[in-house]
Amino acid sequence: MAVSGVVKLAMFRGVMSMRASTHLSSKSALKSCSSMLSRNVSVTQPQLKKEEVEVTFVKANGERIKAKGKEGDSLLDIVVNNEVDLDGYGACEGTLTCSTCHLILKKEDYDRLPSKPTDEEMDMLDLAYDLTDTSRLGCQIIMSKALDGLEVKVPATVNDARSN
């Protein structure tokens, strides 16, 4: 590995400073400094391959929109990343301060979600139109391979809880 002039100067200054403060020989100080710099450090994120998942959004008029995402994406992420045309959807951008990403799931799909709604989500859902026992906010549903092929119903109207 080539060492740039700036790094060499920094190493030299470090060695000289170390030598002066600890009374080490140049060779000992250099060896100590070199061992500190020889550690491998990665500054990139590991490349983890996330599986692709598919969701079908069923609008109130019966139109079916299929969209793809990755494991770890919320349903809101999938709508935004695929530019799915759902009027007013996700107005608060997933900050759990509106109910515009309200979706209705089939009972069996609702039951297999890994987490139940939090109190904060329930508070927002109380303000949503067409609320059902299987309603959830799309920003709170995180996709996994187990949810691949999920089908959700989009209510006819949205209510932005921030304007109430």
Side-chain angles (χ1 to χ4, degrees):
M1 173 173 88
V3 180
S4 74
V6 174
V7 172
K8 286 179 183 175
L9 180 60
M11 284 175 60
F12 175 75
R13 286 184 177 159
V15 167
M16 297 311 288
S17 172
M18 187 183 294
R19 233 182 108 196
S21 65
T22 61
H23 305 293
L24 292 175
S25 70
S26 294
K27 189 174 183 179
S28 296
L30 185 57
K31 184 176 180 183
S32 184
C33 188
S34 293
S35 70
M36 287 188 289
L37 290 174
S38 68
R39 293 187 183 111
N40 291 329
V41 179
S42 174
V43 293
T44 59
Q45 293 292 322
Q47 295 296 319
L48 302 176
K49 185 173 187 217
K50 291 186 177 183
E51 294 288 326
E52 190 172 75
V53 291
E54 186 175 88
V55 180
T56 303
F57 297 92
V58 182
K59 294 172 84 171
N61 65 5
E63 180 185 357
R64 301 170 67 80
I65 303 169
K66 289 186 183 260
K68 294 184 183 211
K70 301 273 186 202
E71 285 183 291
D73 286 349
S74 71
L75 290 179
L76 175 60
D77 294 332
I78 293 172
V79 168
V80 170
N81 294 341
N82 288 278
E83 298 179 8
V84 175
D85 184 24
L86 300 177
D87 290 333
Y89 192 89
C92 76
E93 299 176 348
T95 60
L96 205 54
T97 57
C98 76
S99 57
T100 61
C101 63
H102 169 222
L103 298 168
I104 301 168
L105 288 81
K106 295 176 189 169
K107 175 78 171 123
E108 59 270 15
D109 291 333
Y110 182 89
D111 290 340
R112 69 185 175 118
L113 292 176
S115 62
K116 298 300 173 206
T118 63
D119 289 340
E120 293 83 6
E121 182 180 356
M122 293 301 288
D123 288 346
M124 287 297 107
L125 283 169
D126 284 342
L127 303 170
Y129 292 132
D130 300 329
L131 187 65
T132 72
D133 290 339
T134 60
S135 289
R136 289 294 303 266
L137 295 180
C139 65
Q140 299 301 300
I141 299 174
I142 306 302
M143 291 300 294
S144 65
K145 197 63 181 164
L147 294 175
D148 186 28
L150 183 68
E151 184 174 291
V152 294
K153 180 181 170 194
V154 181
T157 56
V158 296
N159 179 28
D160 188 346
R162 299 172 305 162
S163 61
N164 289 339

